[in-house]
Amino acid sequence: MLEPLEERLDQPLPAEDQDKEYVGFATLPNQVHRKSVKKGFDFTLMVAGESGLGKSTLVNSLFLTDLYKDRKLLNAEERITQTVEITKHTVDIEEKGVKLKLTIVDTPGFGDAVNNTECWKSVADYIDQQFEQYFRDESGLNRKNIQDNRVHCCLYFISPFGHGLRPLDVEFMKALHEKVNIVPVLAKADTLTPLEVKKKKIKIREEIEQYGIKIYQFPDCDSDEDEEFKQQDQELKDSIPFAVIGSNTVVEAKGKRVRGRLYPWGIVEVENPAHCDFVKLRNMLVRTHMQDLKDVTRETHYENYRAHCIQSMTRMVVKERNRNKLTRESGTDFPIPTAPGVSDSETEKLIREKDEEVRQPPHTQTQEQECVTQECVDQECVMHDECVQESVQEECVMQEESVQEAEHCAELC
Ligand code: GDP
């Protein structure tokens, strides 16, 4: 007679049976790992904040590269009327065979002019343009080699000289918090005493809360993580805004050559956790949360943009349909802004139905299967329902719109 299943599972299998029981899907992580390493990784980091707060120095210190070789600094006169410019630097870095294409997006001129009203606008536009480009590429025919230029994280530099946040900081973060993962940093922390850093951090955190600014939220730890990991995670959360110090020079401190700033009274070491949060920030950005920042960008910020876009497209299609219907019925051949005979509530109903349609993944098996084969192998785009939504949206674009309409729609978005 056979023993109960649980008992059989507890006992080690003889070697010859082990081979029989081994299907091989345990190697799946290795396959994904190999594929990702071969493909390489990319990450886009934006730095924003008033000029002179040490953005370029910090970026160079973070990635040990000189990304700002050909930077042109403007004089005071030029800066009076300076508009915010967006510059992009890309470097390919490699570490132990893993390639990373790092793009740094800088915002020179931000907060520099005499009148800084709405100077966050060009930054917001840039982020939207990258979403738009991705949206177009995704809806196009060649989706295999899409270049992803979406901004995954924005380091926002807060001046150490103010009393907490300035109105411009609040305005910037509020305008962008739904488009990008904002990580606030307290710049030039070596100009403050440890007590001042502590007080400023508390004040800034309170203000962030008070103004309803949604900065990047570190994901919660799994309950089965060990205590040490949980503690590190809590420390990371408590460090916001990261107090940072940047330096591109190597100095000698206690017989060791370190990256630091040499003052008549001593040396501040960039990578010394007792001096600042540089290492915490670097670990968070590179070692522990880079993938999460990318996931949140894709699943939250880009999804918001995409939903908004599809909604506008649907509205336009419904409007166009109503107009065509009316033109046919009335025999007029000129556009009429609102369709008489179709009440607002009816139009709203149509829009709602279309929205529902877009939101709900259809359950046809062919679509699901296509999705699994084409997309799920690709680590970057595994979301099944995203894929289904794409096909619905593509279908919608193909059926309902001419090329002209699509162009018009992109403008609308
Ligand atoms: P950016 O305009 O924001 O890119 O600022 P820069 O990186 O060009 O730095 C402006 C000036 O501040 C330079 O003279 C830097 O050497 C200095 N600086 C950069 N980081 C720090 C820092 O952490 N502490 C101090 N005290 N000075 C810094």
Side-chain angles (χ1 to χ4, degrees), residues 5-230:
L5 184 65
E6 299 92 82
E7 280 173 34
R8 276 185 289 139
L9 287 176
D10 282 348
Q11 291 160 14
L13 288 168
E16 68 275 14
D17 285 352
Q18 258 178 21
D19 272 355
K20 276 186 227 153
E21 298 274 319
Y22 182 71
V23 178
F25 54 79
T27 66
L28 272 173
N30 302 348
Q31 294 177 35
V32 173
H33 174 86
R34 209 170 330 127
K35 211 172 161 181
S36 321
V37 169
K38 211 168 138 199
K39 196 171 159 213
F41 297 84
D42 52 49
F43 188 70
T44 302
L45 177 71
M46 175 181 264
V47 284
E50 216 183 288
S51 78
L53 282 184
K55 299 185 292 296
S56 20
T57 312
L58 189 84
V59 165
N60 286 339
S61 320
L62 276 173
F63 298 101
L64 303 178
T65 49
D66 189 5
L67 277 152
Y68 293 85
K69 275 179 279 221
D70 37 15
R71 182 167 68 145
K72 183 178 163 260
L73 291 173
L74 300 180
N75 62 33
E77 205 183 336
E78 286 167 318
R79 281 191 292 163
I80 291 175
T81 49
Q82 160 91 17
T83 50
V84 183
E85 209 190 310
I86 308 282
T87 58
K88 218 168 104 172
H89 306 264
T90 302
V91 274
D92 290 301
I93 36 187
E94 193 171 334
E95 195 180 77
K96 294 185 181 169
V98 178
K99 287 182 227 131
L100 173 71
K101 182 168 162 269
L102 174 73
T103 306
I104 303 291
V105 179
D106 201 352
T107 55
F110 176 82
D112 277 1
V114 172
N115 181 0
N116 289 308
T117 325
E118 300 209 328
C119 73
W120 46 266
K121 225 169 174 296
S122 39
V123 184
D125 287 347
Y126 177 85
I127 294 173
D128 279 342
Q129 278 160 18
Q130 308 317 307
F131 282 154
E132 186 193 323
Q133 187 58 48
Y134 195 85
F135 185 59
R136 277 174 190 271
D137 290 349
E138 248 190 345
S139 319
L141 287 176
N142 183 12
R143 301 196 305 151
K144 233 178 163 181
N145 301 314
I146 298 181
Q147 171 114 35
D148 184 3
N149 289 320
R150 293 172 294 183
V151 181
H152 301 121
C153 177
C154 170
L155 288 186
Y156 187 75
F157 285 65
I158 299 165
S159 168
F161 311 119
H163 298 282
L165 296 178
R166 292 165 315 155
L168 183 61
D169 301 332
V170 176
E171 218 183 298
F172 178 91
M173 290 198 267
K174 280 195 90 164
L176 293 223
H177 64 180
E178 276 174 354
K179 295 178 190 289
V180 68
N181 295 312
I182 298 178
V183 174
V185 298
L186 182 58
K188 298 189 173 180
D190 56 324
T191 57
L192 303 167
T193 64
L195 187 64
E196 282 169 335
V197 168
K198 202 172 159 198
K199 280 188 181 162
K200 264 202 178 123
K201 279 186 175 199
I202 294 174
K203 179 105 200 288
I204 292 170
R205 279 203 297 266
E206 275 170 8
E207 286 181 333
I208 285 176
E209 176 96 31
Q210 181 192 336
Y211 292 111
I213 299 167
K214 290 177 245 153
I215 55 167
Y216 170 64
Q217 291 299 312
F218 298 109
D220 286 332
C221 270
D222 290 335
S223 50
D224 57 350
E225 292 289 1
D226 59 51
E227 280 311 309
E228 198 187 326
F229 186 87
K230 281 185 187 162

Side-chain angles (χ1 to χ4, degrees), residues 265-300:
W265 53 89
I267 290 170
V268 274
E269 296 168 39
V270 169
E271 296 186 37
N272 185 338
H275 293 188
C276 73
D277 301 324
F278 176 88
V279 173
K280 271 197 199 120
L281 174 69
R282 189 179 58 193
N283 283 350
M284 185 286 283
L285 272 183
V286 185
R287 297 191 189 173
T288 53
H289 289 73
M290 188 180 268
Q291 193 52 48
D292 189 64
L293 286 161
K294 290 176 80 172
D295 290 345
V296 176
T297 304
R298 195 188 62 218
E299 290 161 18
T300 310

Side-chain angles (χ1 to χ4, degrees), residues 240-274:
I240 290 285
F242 294 103
V244 292
I245 299 171
S247 166
N248 293 325
T249 46
V250 175
V251 290
E252 201 162 318
K254 295 177 213 133
K256 273 199 286 176
R257 299 202 30 93
V258 293
R259 209 166 253 264
R261 306 185 70 84
L262 178 65
Y263 291 109
W265 53 89
I267 290 170
V268 274
E269 296 168 39
V270 169
E271 296 186 37
N272 185 338

